[in-house]
Amino acid sequence: MKGAAADPYPEFVPHLNKLPTAVPGEAGGDTAPRTLARLRTALTLFFALDGFLFAGWVVRIPAIKQQTGASASDLGLALLGVSAGAVVTMTLTGRLCRRFGSHPVTVASAVLLSLSIALPPLTHSALALGLVLLVFGTAYGGINVAMNSAAVDLVAALRRPVMPSFHAAFSLGGMLGAGLGGLVAGGLSPTAHLLGLTVAGLVLTAVAGPVLLRHPSPTVPETVPADERAPGRMDGRSRRPVTVFGVIALCTAYGEGALADWGALHLEQDLHAHPGVAAAGYSLFALAMTAGRLSGTTMLERLGQTRTLVAGGATAATGMLLGALAPTVWLALLGFAVTGLGLANIFPVAVARAGAVAGPGGVAAASTLGYGGMLLGPPAIGFLADWFSLPVALTTVAVLAAGAAVIGYAARGASAAGRP
């Protein structure tokens, strides 16, 4: 790609490549680069905290089910509280970020998430569990939109495509939370475990939160003409490209949800894998996705966003066809790993592009669509498995990944100004 070395990230907020970045609240001897580095560290910690807390809750679901005496169907209804709270809040958080700033909303959501995770072990019925999970889902949806909005602003200020590194922190936090939860599950009650997560979350928020509260999101200087600025809200011109990027995020999240819920069952039921090997399937997928995100910034700098989207979707489609249709366990595991590498950077890039087009409102819209894909995947796979077979059902992950590649290529002209 001609000129790529001089402008490795040309598709993202073009005017920032020729203008200085202003950091509100700069004072004393601090320089803008030092402040941006601090903001990046603080945001990375919040992404990791989000993954850590959510994974810590997920691994204790069986114990909470036993404690509440809920049937499988009752538990399923209660778990909808997380989804309902998250989806409703995601649609509102963009407005809160525009009014109060994404940094204060991130900190407030982190506090609420840390407090609410201690509530599920205190319930003794499916109804009560559903109500407290509604609160947990509200905080989860809020922090995801707010911190992604803050990350979009910081990526633009740094003029480097570092969004995948934030999502890598989320994945690493999730792996750490799940691993720790598995270690303490036999020795600690859910109450003690989740209360410990509350304390950890509040401590980290107390450490990282002041950095965000002291420094508002970086902004472009007021001297920049209005027609060169990326729009800060959804409008008629930006709605279409934001929807396109949201659909790309949905295609990715569909695969994540499907593999999380059905990957192990496919390995054990269809390929007769040992339960331990089957359980390792999703761990391998998650590890590959984390590795892909850690290398995402380098990939974006070298390939650009469109090529990263297309290559990621094509790689994930190939990997999932192998994972779903392979005749042996080890080939299927290889397919899962390739799928994780392919899907790794599609969601971060899609959210970043939506945020560049329409600010917090764009992040909220794309995140809501993406989360919808994660909700849609597992039940869709279940219905298709009943009608056809589980391996055939899992090939829909490959179909949507390929669709994300096609849409990403078709959307290559969508600019930060919201012009398709």
Side-chain angles (χ1 to χ4, degrees):
M1 184 168 56
K2 188 175 180 180
D7 189 9
Y9 205 34
E11 300 166 298
F12 193 83
V13 196
H15 65 267
L16 286 173
N17 288 326
K18 53 187 177 181
L19 294 166
T21 300
V23 181
E26 280 299 303
D30 254 349
T31 61
R34 289 182 59 191
T35 299
L36 293 177
R38 291 175 182 174
L39 288 175
R40 183 179 179 182
T41 300
L43 271 179
T44 299
L45 290 175
F46 278 113
F47 271 86
L49 175 65
D50 186 32
F52 179 75
L53 293 180
F54 189 79
W57 144 248
V58 167
V59 299
R60 300 317 295 255
I61 289 178
I64 301 296
K65 177 182 182 297
Q66 183 178 5
Q67 174 185 300
T68 58
S71 65
S73 59
D74 288 341
L75 178 65
L77 290 174
L79 291 175
L80 283 177
V82 178
S83 305
V87 169
V88 170
T89 306
M90 283 178 173
T91 60
L92 300 175
T93 305
R95 300 177 187 176
L96 293 175
C97 288
R98 284 195 300 270
R99 180 170 182 180
F100 301 106
S102 56
H103 289 185
V105 177
T106 297
V107 175
S109 298
V111 172
L112 181 59
L113 186 70
S114 299
L115 293 174
S116 62
I117 199 172
L119 299 178
L122 306 180
T123 62
H124 299 284
S125 69
L127 176 60
L129 178 62
L131 291 175
V132 301
L133 290 181
L134 189 65
V135 178
F136 180 75
T138 296
Y140 182 72
I143 193 172
N144 273 278
V145 171
M147 67 187 183
N148 272 292
S149 297
V152 166
D153 292 336
L154 187 57
V155 167
L158 290 169
R159 290 181 289 176
R160 288 196 67 210
V162 297
M163 180 66 91
S165 68
F166 294 119
H167 288 259
F170 173 86
S171 299
L172 288 171
M175 293 173 64
L176 179 60
L180 179 63
L183 288 175
V184 305
L188 282 180
S189 68
T191 302
H193 176 203
L194 297 186
L195 183 59
L197 296 186
T198 292
V199 174
L202 292 176
V203 169
L204 188 144
T205 303
V207 171
V211 178
L212 297 188
L213 295 177
R214 281 198 302 267
H215 303 288
S217 296
T219 60
V220 180
E222 293 296 331
T223 54
V224 179
D227 61 353
E228 293 187 17
R229 293 173 173 272
R233 63 180 62 229
M234 293 277 284
D235 56 24
R237 230 168 50 165
S238 64
R239 192 173 304 278
R240 180 182 174 186
V242 165
T243 302
V244 168
F245 297 130
V247 171
I248 293 174
L250 182 151
C251 292
T252 305
Y254 177 96
E256 290 187 55
L259 280 171
D261 284 21
W262 294 100
L265 183 62
H266 167 58
L267 293 173
E268 188 171 348
Q269 169 187 288
D270 299 315
L271 298 177
H272 312 293
H274 184 275
V277 175
Y282 181 73
S283 298
L284 186 61
F285 168 79
L287 182 61
M289 178 170 279
T290 302
R293 286 174 170 173
L294 287 172
S295 60
T297 296
T298 300
M299 182 180 296
L300 284 166
E301 288 178 330
R302 292 183 177 179
L303 300 181
Q305 293 183 347
T306 297
R307 291 184 179 182
T308 298
L309 285 176
V310 173
T315 300
T318 303
M320 199 59 234
L321 285 176
L322 179 62
L325 303 178
T328 67
V329 172
W330 302 112
L331 281 176
L333 289 173
L334 175 62
F336 283 11
V338 172
T339 303
L341 287 173
L343 293 180
N345 295 305
I346 300 178
F347 190 97
V349 169
V351 170
R353 292 292 295 274
V357 168
V363 173
S367 298
T368 303
L369 280 171
Y371 197 77
M374 190 168 288
L375 298 179
L376 174 66
I381 295 293
F383 283 119
L384 291 172
D386 284 339
W387 293 337
F388 303 102
S389 68
L390 184 53
V392 170
L394 287 173
T395 61
T396 59
V397 175
V399 171
L400 288 185
V406 173
I407 296 170
Y409 181 77
R412 64 193 182 279
S415 72
R419 291 184 294 271

